[in-house]
Structure formats: C-alpha cells, structure tokens
Amino acid sequence: MKHGKKYTDSVKLIDNLTAYDPEQAVALAKQTAKAKFDETIEISVRLGVDPRHADQQVRGAVVLPNGTGKVVRVLVFAKGDKIKEAEDAGADFVGAEDMVAKIQGESWFGFDACVATPDMMGIVGRIGRVLGPKGLMPNPKSGTVTMDVAKAVADIKSGKVEYRVDKTAIIHCPIGKKSFDDEKLLENLNTLMEAIVKAKPAAAKGTYLKSVVLSSTMGPGIKVNTLKF
C-alpha cells in the first residue's frame, strides 16, 4: 500500500518497537495528525477474550469527561409525555411508528445515536436488522433503553461513547479531536480504559489487555504501554 508524504513523515516520528506511556502517545498522536481537518484521535484495544462466547463479551458505555468533539444527532423513540421530555433534553428527532416508517421507507439514517423507552422496543425491533449492523440499536446495557430519556440524551450529547469488542476481539473508540489539549485527551483516554478494564469478563483468562494503539484519523498507529492501565 502506497502512503502519502504526510503519512510517511509521521511514521518517521514513531519507534514501532516502543510502547509509549499514555502522555507520550497522546502527544505523538497529535503530532502525527497532519491532515487539514480536525482529525479524530481513536484508541484500538486488543483484548484477551474470545468474543464467540457470550460470557466473554465486553460491552458498555462511558461518558468522556471532555466529550468527543463531535456534534451528535440523537433520535428518540418515545410517546406521550416522554416526547416533550426528549425534546427539552435536546433530542434532534423524536417519534414512534413515523420514524420507523421513515427509516424503512427512505433508508434514512440522519442520526448518530438512538434512544428508546422500554415500551417502544416492540416497534424498534422491526428495524433491528438495519440498526444493529450500524451500531444504532438501543440497548439496556449501554443505557439507551430507558424511561429516563432526558438523562440518556444529555449523556450522549455531553460525550457518552459506547465500546464493544468486535469479532476480532478489538475495541475501537474515539477519545477526542486533534484540537483538544493533551490533558483533556489523556483524561478521556484514562476514563475509557478504566471502564474497559472494569468490564473484564470473569471467564477471560490470561492477559486481558493484549495491546493498546492510539492513532489519528489519517495517522499511523502508536503503541501504548498497557501496564499503565
């Protein structure tokens, strides 16, 4: 694979044999983010779990103290008094059967996160096959199936991120933007990693944190010292 000059220059700044302390890794991730736009800084965590087994799934959500730097559009499935509650909390779209029809009929996905009250899950289940693969299906474990829609919307808007191990046993998650101060990125990183460590399944044996890699949208991967977490 051929890389551009900016990427090649960024690679020269990194020693691939070194696992950097989090502070150094964050500084390097910003230094190697050379694109003209405000790149996202992302973490990739390879875990010592077998995601084929239900008792070794790692999934959850955490509110990053400094947000993600992204404007998140939230869709809420609700009815009755919960409609106004969601709207007052800042939800971008609120509805019920009408929203299901819009997604089914128009293949509309003009939202980044989805919240539903428990009584709406029967309706939302109709579009589970299209929401699920996009990571948009409301789930009680991530706090997106709840009667407290105001809190759910507020959390998402203020920087809540979901993490979930994929079939290759890796978690990919954003921790902020290149424009963030180092301290804010580091705080977000530590908060996320603390949540992932706490979510270790009892069935997981051996080394849990196999590797941690930090990178910007267009930049190279930077190995992080797992012992620091």
Side-chain angles (χ1 to χ4, degrees):
M1 186 177 177
K2 212 172 181 183
H3 291 292
K5 185 179 182 301
K6 288 181 180 178
Y7 183 92
T8 305
D9 289 344
S10 293
V11 168
K12 293 176 183 176
L13 299 171
I14 300 166
D15 181 358
N16 282 330
L17 298 178
T18 300
Y20 294 92
D21 285 349
E23 296 85 353
Q24 296 172 300
V26 164
L28 274 172
K30 290 182 62 175
Q31 198 176 346
T32 54
K34 297 181 180 294
K36 291 182 180 179
F37 63 92
D38 193 9
E39 295 183 55
T40 295
I41 306 298
E42 183 182 76
I43 194 86
S44 299
V45 185
R46 188 162 66 91
L47 299 176
V49 299
D50 186 345
R52 292 174 298 178
H53 298 292
D55 61 354
Q56 293 189 48
Q57 288 292 319
V58 180
R59 180 178 187 174
V62 62
V63 177
L64 300 181
N66 302 298
T68 61
K70 180 183 178 182
V71 177
V72 183
R73 297 163 298 175
V74 182
L75 165 63
V76 176
F77 288 98
K79 59 185 178 182
D81 294 342
K82 293 297 175 181
I83 293 176
K84 186 173 188 308
E85 185 180 322
E87 290 173 342
D88 290 346
D92 299 272
F93 311 99
V94 186
E97 287 89 345
D98 55 329
M99 286 299 175
V100 171
K102 187 176 178 68
I103 292 168
Q104 284 180 322
E106 303 174 23
S107 294
W108 173 75
F109 291 99
F111 53 96
D112 308 295
C114 191
V115 175
T117 53
D119 57 326
M120 296 301 296
M121 287 307 292
I123 294 170
V124 178
R126 299 175 196 167
I127 50 174
R129 286 185 179 180
V130 293
L131 292 181
K134 294 180 180 291
L136 294 170
M137 188 66 180
N139 187 289
K141 290 183 180 178
S142 61
T144 48
V145 176
T146 175
M147 288 303 290
D148 194 351
V149 293
K151 183 180 185 304
V153 171
D155 283 349
I156 293 169
K157 289 282 187 179
S158 63
K160 181 179 182 179
V161 294
E162 290 187 42
Y163 57 87
R164 182 178 187 179
V165 68
D166 64 18
K167 61 184 179 182
T168 62
I170 298 175
I171 288 175
H172 300 280
C173 207
I175 62 163
K177 295 284 188 179
K178 176 179 72 174
S179 58
F180 281 24
D181 293 340
D182 288 19
E183 293 77 15
K184 289 185 176 181
L185 283 172
L186 187 61
E187 192 177 1
N188 280 355
L189 170 61
N190 286 329
T191 299
L192 175 62
M193 289 304 300
E194 184 180 346
I196 292 173
V197 169
K198 282 184 178 178
K200 179 183 178 180
K205 306 300 180 185
T207 303
Y208 179 56
L209 295 179
K210 293 279 191 180
S211 68
V212 177
V213 176
L214 202 62
S215 64
S216 62
T217 305
M218 305 296 288
I222 301 156
K223 294 176 185 175
V224 187
N225 184 357
T226 58
L227 297 178
K228 294 295 181 179
F229 304 114

